[in-house]
Amino acid sequence: MFSGFPDAALDFYEDLEADNSKIFWTAHKAVYESSVHAPMVALLAELEPDFGEGKVFRPYRDVRFSKDKTPYKTHQGGVVMVGAGIGYYVQVDASGLFVGGGFYQHTPDQLARLRAAVDGDLRGEQLVRLTRALEKAGFEVGGDRLKTRPRGFAEDHPRIELLRYRTLTAGRSYGSPPWLDSERTLTEVRAAWESLRPLVEWFEDVVGAPA
């Protein structure tokens, strides 16, 4: 049963940020397993009946093509995928809890379908209402976006700001509230994902799987 993320989880990542080395990791791996990995597995298992099977990300960084050669991620993420690049996300790191969801990666055909949907009045206005409602509820809407208008669309398009997005997500940072080490964390994550469900389902319906 999930019982929260203990203070030791946040302390672990704070220390890892200061010493991201194999020596530190080996000496503190047991803390990671008991205070970070195990609670994340338990949290996703509790959410599975409502949202689907979750995946806990590996703690190791892929440094093959990165100038940053530090070997370990300084956060632990978990995700429930409902489509290609579409799903729900939860993370714990030194600062505390983060919850999000939406459309976070794309293929060219998915991006074309997204822009066609935003261009249309029916689907486009649905997305406007969904993002505004989430912002009103305390979520931050963001993603990868163009600095200029996408090719083929007028600068004065009524939804030009949404058309600039190549990915679009909504997330909320909770910090480290007193309830983080309790079962209430499950309640908060579930409530946040329920708030995000209409947005996730919009992407699932409109963007779909890669061709």
Side-chain angles (χ1 to χ4, degrees), residues 16-206:
L16 182 63
E17 288 177 359
D19 182 9
N20 196 320
S21 68
K22 186 175 182 180
I23 293 175
F24 173 86
W25 182 268
T26 301
H28 298 84
K29 186 176 180 180
V31 178
Y32 167 77
E33 293 289 352
S34 63
S35 299
V36 178
H37 186 266
M40 183 64 76
V41 169
L43 175 62
L44 293 178
E46 295 271 14
L47 293 164
E48 183 174 345
D50 296 323
F51 298 95
E53 184 178 359
K55 172 187 175 182
V56 177
F57 288 108
R58 289 165 52 86
Y60 312 105
R61 296 184 62 250
D62 184 352
V63 301
R64 291 174 297 173
F65 308 107
S66 175
K67 292 182 180 179
D68 179 3
K69 299 301 182 182
T70 52
Y72 304 103
K73 297 175 183 175
T74 55
H75 62 272
Q76 177 64 71
V79 66
V80 172
M81 301 296 299
V82 300
I86 305 168
Y88 303 92
Y89 182 73
V90 59
Q91 173 182 300
V92 65
D93 61 16
S95 66
L97 179 70
F98 174 83
V99 180
F103 177 53
Y104 67 92
Q105 66 183 25
H106 65 83
T107 60
D109 56 295
Q110 287 179 308
L111 180 57
R113 289 197 292 273
L114 171 60
R115 287 183 174 154
V118 175
D119 185 36
D121 288 338
L122 177 61
R123 285 296 198 176
E125 285 303 310
Q126 285 177 346
L127 186 58
V128 169
R129 291 193 294 271
L130 288 172
T131 53
R132 285 178 178 172
L134 285 168
E135 288 175 332
K136 188 175 181 180
F139 290 86
E140 182 178 349
V141 175
D144 178 26
R145 55 179 290 171
L146 298 172
K147 294 181 180 179
T148 60
R149 65 178 176 85
R151 185 177 302 175
F153 295 96
E155 191 67 44
D156 62 351
H157 191 288
R159 291 174 295 280
I160 190 63
E161 294 304 317
L162 287 175
L163 283 167
R164 289 193 173 108
Y165 282 103
R166 290 178 288 202
T167 64
L168 197 157
T169 60
R172 183 174 180 181
S173 296
Y174 292 81
S176 54
W179 45 259
L180 188 59
D181 63 350
S182 73
E183 294 178 9
R184 181 176 165 182
T185 298
L186 170 61
T187 301
E188 295 289 342
V189 175
R190 178 182 281 120
W193 281 10
E194 285 293 353
S195 296
L196 290 161
R197 191 190 291 273
L199 179 68
V200 172
E201 290 181 344
W202 189 93
F203 285 118
E204 192 177 9
D205 292 342
V206 167

